Structures are given as C-alpha cells and as structure tokens.
Amino acid sequence: MDGVPGREDPYWPVVTQGWDVSARNHPYEPWPPVRWQWPWGHIVVGNTRRSSASWSAPAGAFLALQKKGPKAMVINAWNEWTEGSALLPTRDQGDGVLRALAAALK
C-alpha cells in the first residue's frame, strides 16, 4: 500500500483534533449559515483522548504499511484554540491527545 493505488507519489493522511470556525463569524452574518456559502463550514466536535486515538491510530497504521517514503502525517493543528483544534495540553484533556498521537506512531 504505497499511497493511492495507481499513483507513484506518496499519500500523506491528514487528521484533525476538531474544527469549529463559528466563533469567527461576524455577528451580522446569517445564522445558521446557508450550506456551502460563507460563513458555512464543517464543525467537528466531541474532542476527547479516546477520539484522538480513533483518528491517529488508523493514520499511523496506514503510514506503517507504506513501503517507501517519505512517510508523513499532516496534523491540524497545534494551537488553534478558537477553532477547537489543539494538541497542546489542556485543563480538561491534560496531555492525553499528545499521548494518543505518540501511541499511534510507535
């Protein structure tokens, strides 16, 4: 399994801890936004240590199966606090998200 079948270039999985851009919406924008029009966007919720393992473990397993490199996983994001996507330790999760990521990459 070297990336996408039929292609020579490597495939790098992209994972996220969560995402919610609604905090950046202007107060005068319509709510809820119209799908596929500004400021609409996907919202990924339910960020926990367990959910971190559910997204990082399959990506790590995929990378382990690749026969040639470079092997890389694109992770969003280290400190996007406003968007709900942070790997840095937090009061509610501690360093559990980082531990889940480390375990997936062993």
Side-chain angles (χ1 to χ4, degrees):
M1 179 183 261
D2 289 325
V4 179
R7 296 198 46 129
E8 296 289 325
D9 51 334
Y11 175 80
W12 298 346
V14 179
V15 295
T16 186
Q17 167 62 4
W19 192 250
D20 181 357
V21 296
S22 62
R24 295 187 181 269
N25 290 353
H26 191 278
Y28 300 112
E29 295 286 349
W31 192 263
V34 177
R35 188 177 177 113
W36 305 116
Q37 294 180 14
W38 176 257
W40 184 86
H42 292 284
I43 297 177
V44 180
V45 297
N47 305 331
T48 65
R49 288 177 275 201
R50 182 173 286 158
S51 68
S52 298
S54 73
W55 56 255
S56 56
F62 175 84
L63 290 175
L65 292 174
Q66 288 187 343
K67 294 183 179 119
K68 56 186 175 181
K71 296 179 182 183
M73 179 190 307
V74 178
I75 303 171
N76 176 58
W78 185 251
N79 63 349
E80 291 289 350
W81 301 106
T82 306
E83 289 85 2
S85 183
L87 296 175
L88 292 172
T90 61
R91 286 183 182 171
D92 62 330
Q93 300 293 328
D95 64 353
V97 174
L98 288 171
R99 289 181 184 273
L101 179 59
L105 298 177
K106 283 186 181 181

